[in-house]
Amino acid sequence: MSVQAAPDGNKDGFALAKEAAASAPVIQVVDGVQRDLAYVPESGSSIEIVTMDSDAGREVLRHSTAHVLAQAVLRLFPEAKYSIGPPITDGFYYDFEVERPFTPEDVEVIEAEMRKIVKANQRFERAELDRDEALELFKDQPYKLEIIEGVAEGADALEQQGAVGEVISIYSNTEPGADEPVFVDLCRGPHLPGTGRIKAFKLLRTAGAYWRGDENRPMLQRIYGTAWENKQALEDHLHQLEEAEKRDHRKLGRELELYSWPEEVGSGLAVWHPKGATVRKELEDLARQMHLDYGYEPVYSPHVGKSNLWATSGHLGFYAETMFPPLTADESDYYLKPMNCPFHVLVYRSKTRSYRELPVRLSELGTVYRHERSGVVHGLLRSRGFTQDDSHIFCRPDQVVDELMGVIEFMNALYGTVGFEPEKIRFSTRPPKSVGSDEQWDQAEKAIPEALERAGLDYVVDEGDGTFYGPKIDVDVRDAIGRFWQLATIQVDFQTPDRFGLEYTDEAGRRVQPVMIHRALYGSVERFVGVLVEHFAGAFPTWLAPLQAAIVPIADRHIDYGNEVLARLKARGIRAEVDSSDNTMGAKIRNHQLHKVPYMLVVGDSEAESRTVSVRRRDGEETRGVKVDDIVESLVKEITGRSVELTI
């Protein structure tokens, strides 16, 4: 909610929140800048009161709870060195240097100490110091000193931690009625008025984390936690975490024999087993066919390219930290490709183009390689090698909006095959580190909102989070347990065509530079599979399931009839097998249910005599006496229609 400050400018955020009848106020935003409620805005300022149940309010809550965590650790482990404790999605963490790793018992004691601090309702109070004062205050804390001195990342690190020029901000916790603080942290803020405002939190787990994410720096102990505006919201989140643990794609990948990460290969590089490869192939075949249907032409590109290619594209200048080291050591160094786009540019540039040819749409399922730090690699969701459904559109400036709308239409159709739809859309604008003229960026940044609005899609603006060569659209979907996943990325690029000298001849015979649209709708095939495994909890729709039907003979004498049914299914392209194992029928059914097989076709004496099957779904529903022709046709209809639900 928004209110205006009093004309005389003598009211703080508490008074303004009361006037506005704001429920559970947390901070105020004064002329676009976040401030504590104790701050008194100047008269005429634009004021927004942020409440606890908003995204911004929860972020402040979690940041404040992280401070309480640090205070509790230092009370219990006085020799600990504390580093940083930011809010993150749905929670927070804080990193510490301690003599030994934290144990589960330590975490319980720390959480109990935090509850004492919360109950004491200590005040959060802001103060500003110059560098010398800050260095003296934190003289026994090496990580705080490094932040203040800007050793690791210079001004960026200082800005993130609250330093502005020669002024550094700190926050102290003070007991009610006391003058001296009991805890002080280096922080930009803002924070809750007091620890008593923290109503519901839980410490979750510990992990090792390198300082600054650098494997050559000290390994710290990280404690993760979560905090919410009330106990019910906390309980709902903890339930979601329990569900997420059951659905972890790495765990299910092992259990369902989909993929693995052998130590001999290295983290972040998956090996696909036959069942997982089947799921992947279905998604890749779908992508290939839909690209043809939407007017894209397939191309292939090599896995490596010379250094001058990546220098021209800008990757060596703007993206080098995520590229693997060169494969050779001479003037023609070869690099594993981090992206496919430069190769598609070369395909476009291979001949003279006319305005009549545009748009040119090129597509590739291209494998790329990113030198991700081991600490951020996470199964299929963040890998070092992955395959993008990568496409690039080269078009005239007057075609950009229509092409973006075509991409959005394609995206909606693709996501619909698995029951997804866009839930959150972010439009990211020009970052501080970028290339290109203001005019080009303005043109690109006007096209994206126009396309989104014409497509009827709501979006939020993410200032400064675009790529170095252009603004972008990021699309999130929501899974079965309410989590959001970022999948599609769509980027408008005036810079790459300029860097590579791309042209086409317009109606007047002039040479004109095209616009380039980058887009990946799966994001990557690997990530999309990982998301689907967690979304469906491994119980894929029949069209995606590695094994679509398992034929279960009641006894060995029924195997021959089972093979007859199998032949009928395979003749129509249905993935099926006869379970001729020595297990009992009950054990066979349990095994196929554990492997999430959509349908089990049970055959015994009566089925063999009547030429039928008993159909048992993985959810336990059973139908007896189904004719083989009927089950075959029903399965074909469900599979070709790519139904998300079981229909038989």
Side-chain angles (χ1 to χ4, degrees):
M1 65 182 65
S2 297
V3 297
Q4 288 295 316
D8 57 5
N10 62 358
K11 295 182 179 180
D12 61 17
F14 293 103
L16 294 170
K18 186 175 181 179
E19 285 183 357
S23 176
V26 176
I27 60 169
Q28 57 184 321
V29 180
V30 181
D31 295 330
V33 178
Q34 290 190 345
R35 302 285 190 180
D36 300 304
L37 288 176
Y39 180 80
V40 179
E42 295 181 3
S43 61
S45 298
S46 173
I47 310 297
E48 179 185 358
I49 302 299
V50 177
T51 56
M52 186 81 83
D53 59 355
S54 65
D55 288 343
R58 293 187 190 102
E59 183 171 314
V60 174
L61 163 66
R62 291 161 185 159
H63 192 184
S64 299
T65 312
H67 276 231
V68 173
L69 167 58
Q71 182 181 355
V73 168
L74 289 176
R75 275 186 178 182
L76 297 167
F77 302 86
E79 301 304 314
K81 309 301 180 186
Y82 57 125
S83 61
I84 57 173
I88 56 176
T89 302
D90 293 338
F92 59 89
Y93 69 79
Y94 216 113
D95 289 346
F96 305 92
E97 180 186 304
V98 286
E99 291 184 354
R100 59 170 176 78
F102 292 118
T103 66
E105 293 75 19
D106 291 333
V107 173
E108 290 182 10
V109 174
I110 292 167
E111 184 174 305
E113 192 67 27
M114 290 175 66
R115 297 194 185 283
K116 294 178 184 177
I117 297 169
V118 168
K119 186 176 181 180
N121 193 21
Q122 298 173 2
R123 302 189 307 276
F124 283 105
E125 295 182 310
R126 177 187 173 91
E128 294 182 350
L129 310 176
D130 62 30
R131 287 176 185 269
D132 289 341
E133 290 173 322
L135 291 171
E136 175 62 24
L137 180 63
F138 294 102
K139 63 183 178 182
D140 296 325
Q141 294 294 332
Y143 302 104
K144 300 298 182 183
L145 293 178
E146 184 173 318
I147 293 169
I148 295 167
E149 294 170 343
V151 171
E153 296 178 15
D156 288 343
L158 292 173
E159 177 64 24
Q160 292 166 9
Q161 292 296 322
V164 181
E166 293 300 314
V167 176
I168 297 170
S169 62
I170 60 170
Y171 274 80
S172 60
N173 289 32
T174 306
E175 296 279 4
D179 295 325
E180 294 298 321
V182 292
F183 175 72
V184 180
D185 204 352
L186 182 69
C187 185
R188 180 173 55 186
H191 280 285
L192 300 174
T195 61
R197 297 287 186 100
I198 300 172
K199 301 301 182 184
F201 71 93
K202 178 71 177 174
L203 297 186
L204 301 174
R205 60 189 175 90
T206 63
Y210 289 109
W211 172 235
R212 299 292 194 190
D214 186 341
E215 297 173 10
N216 298 312
R217 305 299 297 278
M219 170 70 78
L220 306 180
Q221 288 294 300
R222 176 172 294 178
I223 300 179
Y224 286 96
T226 187
W228 294 82
E229 61 270 24
N230 55 53
K231 290 183 178 180
Q232 185 59 56
L234 173 63
E235 290 175 5
D236 291 345
H237 178 68
L238 294 178
H239 176 70
Q240 185 186 76
L241 292 180
E242 291 175 6
E243 283 296 311
E245 186 174 355
K246 296 176 187 175
R247 294 166 178 261
D248 189 311
H249 74 282
R250 297 165 297 179
K251 170 179 172 286
L252 289 174
R254 290 190 299 271
E255 294 174 354
L256 302 177
E257 303 172 21
L258 302 176
Y259 38 73
S260 62
W261 293 269
E263 290 184 8
E264 296 87 343
V265 177
S267 64
L269 298 165
V271 173
W272 292 78
H273 299 207
K275 291 180 180 179
T278 298
V279 176
R280 176 175 178 152
K281 181 179 181 299
E282 285 288 343
L283 292 169
E284 290 181 344
D285 289 348
L286 172 65
R288 287 189 178 97
Q289 185 57 54
M290 290 189 70
H291 278 89
L292 294 176
D293 294 343
Y294 277 84
Y296 291 78
E297 299 175 285
V299 297
Y300 291 91
S301 62
H303 290 249
V304 299
K306 287 184 177 181
S307 58
N308 61 344
L309 174 68
W310 307 112
T312 302
S313 68
H315 289 95
L316 279 178
F318 292 89
Y319 210 75
E321 69 277 4
T322 61
M323 295 175 67
F324 278 94
L327 303 177
T328 54
D330 55 36
E331 65 278 3
S332 298
D333 283 341
Y334 284 82
Y335 288 85
L336 285 169
K337 63 176 177 179
M339 296 183 183
N340 300 297
C341 36
F343 296 101
H344 295 193
V345 167
L346 298 180
V347 173
Y348 177 91
R349 202 181 66 179
S350 65
K351 68 174 187 176
T352 302
R353 305 280 180 175
S354 164
Y355 73 96
R356 298 180 186 275
E357 295 178 63
L358 273 58
V360 172
R361 306 184 187 103
L362 304 178
S363 69
E364 176 182 12
L365 285 167
T367 301
V368 298
Y369 305 89
R370 307 278 174 84
H371 196 192
E372 301 283 8
R373 297 184 185 277
S374 59
V376 301
V377 170
H378 184 73
L380 298 181
L381 302 179
R382 189 155 182 177
S383 304
R384 286 174 166 162
F386 51 90
T387 301
Q388 293 185 297
D389 58 322
D390 216 355
S391 297
H392 296 91
I393 301 169
F394 302 87
C395 62
R396 305 189 308 264
D398 63 293
Q399 295 173 320
V400 171
V401 173
D402 287 340
E403 289 302 307
L404 288 173
M405 292 182 67
V407 171
I408 292 169
E409 179 186 343
F410 187 167
M411 174 186 70
N412 288 333
L414 182 67
Y415 289 175
T417 63
V418 292
F420 283 158
E421 59 183 35
E423 291 277 353
K424 289 183 178 180
I425 298 175
R426 297 183 302 283
F427 163 39
S428 299
T429 60
R430 186 174 189 171
K433 191 177 181 181
S434 61
V435 294
S437 68
D438 292 343
E439 181 182 358
Q440 289 172 324
W441 275 89
D442 288 345
Q443 192 173 355
E445 289 181 344
K446 288 177 182 176
I448 288 178
E450 182 178 347
L452 291 172
E453 288 162 12
R454 285 174 57 182
L457 296 176
D458 295 328
Y459 63 92
V460 296
V461 178
D462 196 349
E463 296 287 354
D465 200 41
T467 65
F468 69 86
Y469 50 76
K472 64 175 180 172
I473 303 170
D474 289 320
V475 180
D476 290 2
V477 300
R478 190 198 302 263
D479 73 5
I481 60 173
R483 296 173 300 175
F484 288 98
W485 300 92
Q486 194 267 307
L487 295 178
T489 296
I490 307 164
Q491 302 158 353
V492 178
D493 179 5
F494 284 80
Q495 314 312 320
T496 301
D498 182 49
R499 296 172 77 92
F500 281 91
L502 302 189
E503 296 177 338
Y504 67 90
T505 304
D506 70 6
E507 300 93 324
R510 296 169 299 194
R511 293 183 175 180
V512 183
Q513 179 179 297
V515 182
M516 186 175 176
I517 298 173
H518 308 244
R519 42 115 302 189
L521 303 183
Y522 284 151
S524 79
V525 177
E526 287 81 356
R527 180 174 172 80
F528 199 71
V529 170
V531 170
L532 291 184
V533 169
E534 300 206 5
H535 172 62
F536 291 116
F540 293 109
T542 305
W543 71 273
L544 265 179
L547 181 64
Q548 295 166 327
I551 301 164
V552 181
I554 294 176
D556 286 351
R557 65 180 180 274
H558 306 124
I559 291 176
D560 287 345
Y561 177 58
N563 283 325
E564 290 181 31
V565 175
L566 176 65
R568 300 275 291 278
L569 294 171
K570 285 196 167 184
R572 299 297 300 276
I574 298 167
R575 295 188 289 273
E577 65 180 32
V578 175
D579 187 342
S580 56
S581 68
D582 294 334
N583 293 327
T584 64
M585 187 186 75
K588 291 176 182 180
I589 288 175
R590 284 194 299 274
N591 181 58
H592 293 305
Q593 283 180 320
L594 288 173
H595 282 82
K596 319 285 187 178
V597 178
Y599 296 101
M600 285 151 276
L601 311 182
V602 180
V603 295
D605 289 336
S606 62
E607 287 82 11
E609 182 178 346
S610 61
R611 318 313 283 175
T612 63
V613 296
S614 291
V615 180
R616 183 183 180 90
R617 294 165 34 139
R618 65 183 166 212
D619 60 10
E621 185 176 322
E622 188 171 356
T623 306
R624 298 179 182 274
V626 180
K627 292 181 179 180
V628 175
D629 285 344
D630 290 345
I631 187 63
V632 169
E633 292 305 319
S634 295
L635 282 170
V636 168
K637 182 178 179 181
E638 182 175 317
I639 292 165
T640 57
R642 293 194 175 90
S643 171
V644 177
E645 305 292 338
L646 302 186
T647 61
I648 302 171

